[in-house]
Amino acid sequence: MNLPILYSFRRCPYAMRARLAIAEAGVTVELREVVLRDKPAAFLEASPKGTVPVLVDGEQVLEESLDIMLWALRQADPQNWLADEAASLALIDQNDTVFKPDLDRTKYPSRYPNNDPIQARERASGVLMEWNARIAANGFLLGSRQHLADAAIAPFVRQFAHIDHDWFAAQNWPHLAKWLERFLQSASFQGIMSKFTQWHEGDPVIPFPEAA
């Protein structure tokens, strides 16, 4: 049986969110680990823009992580992550269009002309304070359990926290910090972070999530 193919990169937060949803849905795909400095021809043929994740399902090619999450969860959603979908999508949009640009300007300041990384960090922190207030109410972004938004956003908060662990830990967002730590220690996150070797044409199929 030809499985859908997921081109992924272990440390990319966009790829993390895609793997999380695929594992949650229990949809089996062929995982192909991409090394971004050495992109395989089959990957670039499927998606010339060359960014992960990319899912190839027959003639269908999905090049956005959120589209891959929805593709998986609309096949199976055992914990009802798609409840309050509109609210989740609004928060994910805030992450992707407001928080992530300032995360990048904090983490990679030299890439942006006339960038002040401290101001970028302050703007990103403002978003995190909003999310901390949300989480304070019930433990998650949208209530008392995980939704699509939590899975889609947590990998980016992780990336932000890794820029300066000591600074992050000193900030007044205890509920956000607890939410992030719970995510990092969860079986679902641990399961999607297994290490895979770089994929090359002709390599044996690696099924995911069974191999995780």
Side-chain angles (χ1 to χ4, degrees):
M1 181 179 67
N2 293 325
L3 295 173
I5 296 166
L6 178 70
Y7 290 99
S8 182
F9 174 59
R10 179 176 177 271
R11 297 196 306 273
C12 171
Y14 291 105
M16 287 179 195
R17 63 161 56 157
R19 296 197 306 273
L20 282 164
I22 289 170
E24 171 66 16
V27 178
T28 304
V29 300
E30 175 186 346
L31 189 143
R32 295 182 176 180
E33 181 73 7
V34 173
V35 173
L36 299 179
R37 64 179 179 274
D38 183 22
K39 299 171 184 176
F43 169 56
L44 293 173
E45 182 179 351
S47 179
K49 72 176 186 174
T51 60
V52 292
V54 170
L55 184 113
V56 181
D57 183 15
E59 297 298 316
Q60 183 180 28
V61 178
L62 299 179
E63 300 178 285
E64 300 295 336
S65 58
L66 182 55
D67 291 338
I68 296 171
M69 295 186 83
L70 294 173
W71 169 87
L73 292 168
R74 284 176 177 154
Q75 296 181 63
D77 185 12
Q79 297 189 73
N80 202 20
W81 282 13
L82 293 180
D84 301 314
E85 183 177 337
S88 273
L89 292 176
L91 285 170
I92 294 167
D93 183 69
Q94 183 185 27
N95 177 83
D96 293 1
T97 65
V98 179
F99 178 70
K100 182 60 164 66
D102 281 322
L103 186 165
D104 289 342
R105 284 167 171 79
T106 306
K107 185 176 176 65
Y108 310 109
S110 63
R111 295 182 183 179
Y112 301 91
N114 304 315
N115 174 54
D116 183 335
I118 300 302
Q119 290 184 0
R121 187 172 73 175
E122 289 176 355
R123 291 192 299 268
S125 297
V127 176
L128 293 182
M129 291 301 292
E130 289 182 30
W131 294 345
N132 179 71
R134 281 183 163 273
I135 294 164
N138 293 295
F140 292 87
L141 287 168
L142 288 172
S144 60
R145 64 174 182 81
Q146 182 159 290
H147 286 68
L148 177 69
D150 299 280
I153 290 172
F156 296 89
V157 180
R158 170 187 180 272
Q159 187 181 50
F160 185 81
H162 281 189
I163 298 171
D164 186 335
H165 286 281
D166 292 340
W167 178 88
F168 185 89
Q171 303 311 300
N172 185 28
W173 42 51
H175 306 288
L176 177 86
K178 182 177 179 181
W179 167 85
L180 177 62
E181 185 61 23
R182 182 173 56 222
F183 169 77
L184 296 177
Q185 297 303 320
S186 68
S188 59
F189 179 71
Q190 296 293 324
I192 64 106
M193 292 302 288
S194 298
K195 293 184 178 180
F196 295 96
T197 58
Q198 179 183 4
W199 178 82
H200 297 93
E201 191 73 46
D203 282 354
V205 170
I206 298 176
F208 178 87
E210 283 78 1

